[in-house]
């Protein structure tokens, strides 16, 4: 311990027992690698710098930094058997992997910045309490599975991909942005009573159900790009606005809002006549289309506009029959780019379904005469 004086570990540091370094405002610098099966705590309101890998040869038991300073991770990796808790703001100066081999929590209580890739590997909880990439966007963020990831800081900003491979929970209204069109992938379920905004010109993939346990407040994606839905449902208490091509890759998918007064789901480019889905599923009317069913397909305007010539890989007669049924029931619809593909239904811009259902196996056969 020192009083506001800097401490530097000039060579490789091997821990044979627990070590606590306290310097007040003084900087703490580990110039070489840090190894050893012991707990390391660094308490400084100045700068803490790990120049080389931590736990690369012999994993530490745990690593903790205190609040009020900064931590620079320059060595590319921090490996522990137990928890990692960073109570200050972090800068990464190399592609960095934070790993807990014993599946303990990795908690980042401050912001994280730096133009590099960040990987967090643990079967425990990964918690982002601060904004990620606000000052300097990261290249990418990836979390592994199993485990959970909690996003509480409201923002994750990268130039490339964001891949959340585990159960995800929102702890605040959250915006996930890829500035250069990287894919944003939710590999498991997503819950939390907050707003979710995803901004990327790449693919946004919801591989698990969204809002199945705790409905989100709303879900919004920007244009251009693609939304890929394979998880079975998106449940919100408010609006769902998907402003890009939507690709449903399952034979049963439900978009629903529990707010009967204002909940809607819009799918399509903002400049196109978006389709608005009724949010009251108990009153939804069903119209069969061959082996599929379209539920509550209607336009936000009162004028009917159909374009069966834009439909490919499905019988035009089947589509026209469905349009006729919808019109007879007093609904109006705009059908554009409805394509039945192997394993699901692809929805073009301006088209939305509150529910698409089909037989659980054997997708509809492609009609050779209707293929492009």
């Amino acid at each position: 311990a020192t009083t506001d004086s800097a401490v530097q570990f000039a060579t490789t540091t091997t821990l044979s027992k627990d070590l606590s370094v306290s310097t007040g405002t003084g900087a703490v610098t580990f110039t070489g690698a840090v190894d050893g099966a012991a707990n390391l705590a660094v308490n400084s309101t100045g700068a803490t710098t790990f120049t080389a890998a931590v736990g690369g040869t012999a994993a530490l038991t745990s690593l903790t930094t205190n609040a009020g300073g900064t931590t620079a991770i320059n060595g590319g990796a921090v490996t522990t058997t137990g928890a990692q808790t960073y109570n200050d703001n972090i800068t990464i100066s190399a592609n960095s992997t934070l790993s807990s081999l014993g599946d303990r929590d990795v908690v980042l209580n401050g912001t994280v910045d730096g133009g590099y890739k960040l990987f967090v590997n643990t079967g425990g909880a990964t918690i982002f309490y601060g904004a990620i990439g606000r000052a300097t966007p990261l290249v990418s963020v990836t979390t592994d599975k199993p485990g959970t990831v909690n996003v509480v800081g409201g923002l994750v900003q990268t130039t490339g991909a964001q891949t959340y491979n585990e159960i995800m929970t929102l702890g605040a209204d959250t915006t996930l942005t890829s500035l250069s069109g990287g894919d944003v992938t939710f590999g498991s379920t997503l819950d939390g009573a907050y707003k979710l905004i995803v901004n990327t010109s790449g693919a946004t993939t919801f591989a698990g159900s969204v809002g199945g346990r705790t409905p989100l407040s709303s879900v919004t994606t920007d244009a251009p790009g693609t939304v890929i839905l394979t998880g079975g449902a998106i449940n919100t208490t408010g609006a769902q606005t998907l402003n890009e091509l939507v690709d449903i890759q399952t034979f049963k998918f439900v978009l629903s809002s529990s707010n009967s007064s204002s909940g809607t789901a819009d799918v399509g480019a903002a400049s196109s006549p978006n389709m608005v889905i009724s949010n009251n599923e108990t009153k939804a009317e069903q119209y069969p289309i061959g082996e599929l069913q379209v539920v509550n397909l209607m336009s936000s305007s009162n004028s009917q506009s159909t374009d069966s010539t834009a439909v490919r890989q499905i019988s035009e007669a089947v589509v026209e029959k469905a349009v006729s049924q919808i019109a007879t029931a007093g609904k109006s619809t705009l059908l554009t780019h409805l394509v039945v593909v192997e394993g699901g239904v692809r929805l073009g811009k301006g088209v939305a379904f509150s529910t698409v259902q089909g037989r659980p196996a054997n997708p509809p056969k492609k009609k050779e005469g209707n293929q492009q």
Side-chain angles (χ1 to χ4, degrees), residues 15-19 36-40 59-63:
L15 305 180
S16 58
K17 61 181 181 179
D18 295 348
L19 174 65
N39 299 300
L40 174 62
L60 274 63
T61 301
S62 68
L63 174 63

PDB file of all heavy atoms in Angstrom, residues 15-19 36-40 59-63:
ATOM      1  N   LEU A  15       1.640 -14.815  -8.328  1.00  0.00           N
ATOM      2  CA  LEU A  15       0.995 -14.730  -7.020  1.00  0.00           C
ATOM      3  C   LEU A  15       1.052 -16.087  -6.324  1.00  0.00           C
ATOM      4  O   LEU A  15       0.567 -17.086  -6.864  1.00  0.00           O
ATOM      5  CB  LEU A  15      -0.464 -14.302  -7.170  1.00  0.00           C
ATOM      6  CG  LEU A  15      -0.733 -12.991  -7.929  1.00  0.00           C
ATOM      7  CD1 LEU A  15      -2.229 -12.720  -7.989  1.00  0.00           C
ATOM      8  CD2 LEU A  15      -0.001 -11.831  -7.281  1.00  0.00           C
ATOM      9  N   SER A  16       1.638 -16.111  -5.138  1.00  0.00           N
ATOM     10  CA  SER A  16       1.640 -17.324  -4.329  1.00  0.00           C
ATOM     11  C   SER A  16       0.597 -17.250  -3.227  1.00  0.00           C
ATOM     12  O   SER A  16       0.277 -18.247  -2.582  1.00  0.00           O
ATOM     13  CB  SER A  16       3.022 -17.551  -3.709  1.00  0.00           C
ATOM     14  OG  SER A  16       3.394 -16.438  -2.920  1.00  0.00           O
ATOM     15  N   LYS A  17       0.060 -16.061  -3.011  1.00  0.00           N
ATOM     16  CA  LYS A  17      -1.029 -15.864  -2.069  1.00  0.00           C
ATOM     17  C   LYS A  17      -1.803 -14.625  -2.502  1.00  0.00           C
ATOM     18  O   LYS A  17      -1.402 -13.895  -3.424  1.00  0.00           O
ATOM     19  CB  LYS A  17      -0.501 -15.691  -0.643  1.00  0.00           C
ATOM     20  CG  LYS A  17       0.417 -14.504  -0.455  1.00  0.00           C
ATOM     21  CD  LYS A  17       0.915 -14.429   0.988  1.00  0.00           C
ATOM     22  CE  LYS A  17       1.822 -13.224   1.189  1.00  0.00           C
ATOM     23  NZ  LYS A  17       2.293 -13.130   2.596  1.00  0.00           N
ATOM     24  N   ASP A  18      -2.953 -14.389  -1.872  1.00  0.00           N
ATOM     25  CA  ASP A  18      -3.792 -13.259  -2.232  1.00  0.00           C
ATOM     26  C   ASP A  18      -3.007 -11.952  -2.117  1.00  0.00           C
ATOM     27  O   ASP A  18      -2.207 -11.763  -1.190  1.00  0.00           O
ATOM     28  CB  ASP A  18      -5.024 -13.187  -1.330  1.00  0.00           C
ATOM     29  CG  ASP A  18      -5.952 -14.379  -1.504  1.00  0.00           C
ATOM     30  OD1 ASP A  18      -5.764 -15.134  -2.479  1.00  0.00           O
ATOM     31  OD2 ASP A  18      -6.864 -14.547  -0.666  1.00  0.00           O
ATOM     32  N   LEU A  19      -3.242 -11.048  -3.080  1.00  0.00           N
ATOM     33  CA  LEU A  19      -2.532  -9.765  -3.109  1.00  0.00           C
ATOM     34  C   LEU A  19      -3.525  -8.633  -3.278  1.00  0.00           C
ATOM     35  O   LEU A  19      -4.373  -8.668  -4.173  1.00  0.00           O
ATOM     36  CB  LEU A  19      -1.520  -9.734  -4.257  1.00  0.00           C
ATOM     37  CG  LEU A  19      -0.800  -8.406  -4.492  1.00  0.00           C
ATOM     38  CD1 LEU A  19       0.086  -8.043  -3.284  1.00  0.00           C
ATOM     39  CD2 LEU A  19       0.022  -8.450  -5.779  1.00  0.00           C
ATOM     40  N   GLY A  36      -0.986 -16.982 -11.257  1.00  0.00           N
ATOM     41  CA  GLY A  36      -1.020 -17.535  -9.912  1.00  0.00           C
ATOM     42  C   GLY A  36      -2.424 -17.747  -9.396  1.00  0.00           C
ATOM     43  O   GLY A  36      -3.315 -16.909  -9.593  1.00  0.00           O
ATOM     44  N   ALA A  37      -2.654 -18.866  -8.736  1.00  0.00           N
ATOM     45  CA  ALA A  37      -3.968 -19.236  -8.234  1.00  0.00           C
ATOM     46  C   ALA A  37      -4.254 -18.515  -6.923  1.00  0.00           C
ATOM     47  O   ALA A  37      -4.295 -19.110  -5.839  1.00  0.00           O
ATOM     48  CB  ALA A  37      -4.053 -20.740  -8.057  1.00  0.00           C
ATOM     49  N   ALA A  38      -4.458 -17.212  -7.021  1.00  0.00           N
ATOM     50  CA  ALA A  38      -4.744 -16.389  -5.851  1.00  0.00           C
ATOM     51  C   ALA A  38      -5.632 -15.233  -6.280  1.00  0.00           C
ATOM     52  O   ALA A  38      -5.805 -14.958  -7.474  1.00  0.00           O
ATOM     53  CB  ALA A  38      -3.446 -15.879  -5.227  1.00  0.00           C
ATOM     54  N   ASN A  39      -6.196 -14.538  -5.288  1.00  0.00           N
ATOM     55  CA  ASN A  39      -7.057 -13.386  -5.549  1.00  0.00           C
ATOM     56  C   ASN A  39      -6.208 -12.124  -5.694  1.00  0.00           C
ATOM     57  O   ASN A  39      -5.319 -11.881  -4.880  1.00  0.00           O
ATOM     58  CB  ASN A  39      -8.055 -13.192  -4.406  1.00  0.00           C
ATOM     59  CG  ASN A  39      -8.981 -14.385  -4.230  1.00  0.00           C
ATOM     60  OD1 ASN A  39      -9.720 -14.747  -5.135  1.00  0.00           O
ATOM     61  ND2 ASN A  39      -8.938 -14.996  -3.049  1.00  0.00           N
ATOM     62  N   LEU A  40      -6.517 -11.319  -6.697  1.00  0.00           N
ATOM     63  CA  LEU A  40      -5.826 -10.051  -6.897  1.00  0.00           C
ATOM     64  C   LEU A  40      -6.843  -8.921  -6.833  1.00  0.00           C
ATOM     65  O   LEU A  40      -7.839  -8.922  -7.562  1.00  0.00           O
ATOM     66  CB  LEU A  40      -5.110 -10.014  -8.244  1.00  0.00           C
ATOM     67  CG  LEU A  40      -4.470  -8.670  -8.636  1.00  0.00           C
ATOM     68  CD1 LEU A  40      -3.384  -8.270  -7.627  1.00  0.00           C
ATOM     69  CD2 LEU A  40      -3.892  -8.725 -10.057  1.00  0.00           C
ATOM     70  N   ALA A  59      -4.151 -19.512 -14.137  1.00  0.00           N
ATOM     71  CA  ALA A  59      -5.304 -18.642 -13.929  1.00  0.00           C
ATOM     72  C   ALA A  59      -5.340 -18.102 -12.512  1.00  0.00           C
ATOM     73  O   ALA A  59      -5.070 -18.827 -11.544  1.00  0.00           O
ATOM     74  CB  ALA A  59      -6.588 -19.400 -14.236  1.00  0.00           C
ATOM     75  N   LEU A  60      -5.664 -16.814 -12.390  1.00  0.00           N
ATOM     76  CA  LEU A  60      -5.890 -16.234 -11.079  1.00  0.00           C
ATOM     77  C   LEU A  60      -7.182 -16.800 -10.497  1.00  0.00           C
ATOM     78  O   LEU A  60      -8.054 -17.301 -11.230  1.00  0.00           O
ATOM     79  CB  LEU A  60      -5.997 -14.717 -11.175  1.00  0.00           C
ATOM     80  CG  LEU A  60      -4.684 -13.907 -11.126  1.00  0.00           C
ATOM     81  CD1 LEU A  60      -3.781 -14.234 -12.319  1.00  0.00           C
ATOM     82  CD2 LEU A  60      -4.997 -12.407 -11.100  1.00  0.00           C
ATOM     83  N   THR A  61      -7.340 -16.691  -9.196  1.00  0.00           N
ATOM     84  CA  THR A  61      -8.610 -17.092  -8.583  1.00  0.00           C
ATOM     85  C   THR A  61      -9.680 -16.055  -8.878  1.00  0.00           C
ATOM     86  O   THR A  61     -10.797 -16.390  -9.294  1.00  0.00           O
ATOM     87  CB  THR A  61      -8.442 -17.271  -7.067  1.00  0.00           C
ATOM     88  OG1 THR A  61      -7.454 -18.272  -6.828  1.00  0.00           O
ATOM     89  CG2 THR A  61      -9.752 -17.668  -6.420  1.00  0.00           C
ATOM     90  N   SER A  62      -9.348 -14.786  -8.697  1.00  0.00           N
ATOM     91  CA  SER A  62     -10.285 -13.712  -9.020  1.00  0.00           C
ATOM     92  C   SER A  62      -9.513 -12.428  -9.250  1.00  0.00           C
ATOM     93  O   SER A  62      -8.347 -12.301  -8.847  1.00  0.00           O
ATOM     94  CB  SER A  62     -11.320 -13.508  -7.910  1.00  0.00           C
ATOM     95  OG  SER A  62     -10.700 -12.991  -6.743  1.00  0.00           O
ATOM     96  N   LEU A  63     -10.172 -11.472  -9.886  1.00  0.00           N
ATOM     97  CA  LEU A  63      -9.591 -10.155 -10.103  1.00  0.00           C
ATOM     98  C   LEU A  63     -10.654  -9.111  -9.806  1.00  0.00           C
ATOM     99  O   LEU A  63     -11.781  -9.196 -10.308  1.00  0.00           O
ATOM    100  CB  LEU A  63      -9.105  -9.995 -11.541  1.00  0.00           C
ATOM    101  CG  LEU A  63      -8.612  -8.591 -11.932  1.00  0.00           C
ATOM    102  CD1 LEU A  63      -7.393  -8.192 -11.104  1.00  0.00           C
ATOM    103  CD2 LEU A  63      -8.296  -8.520 -13.424  1.00  0.00           C
TER     104      LEU A  63
END
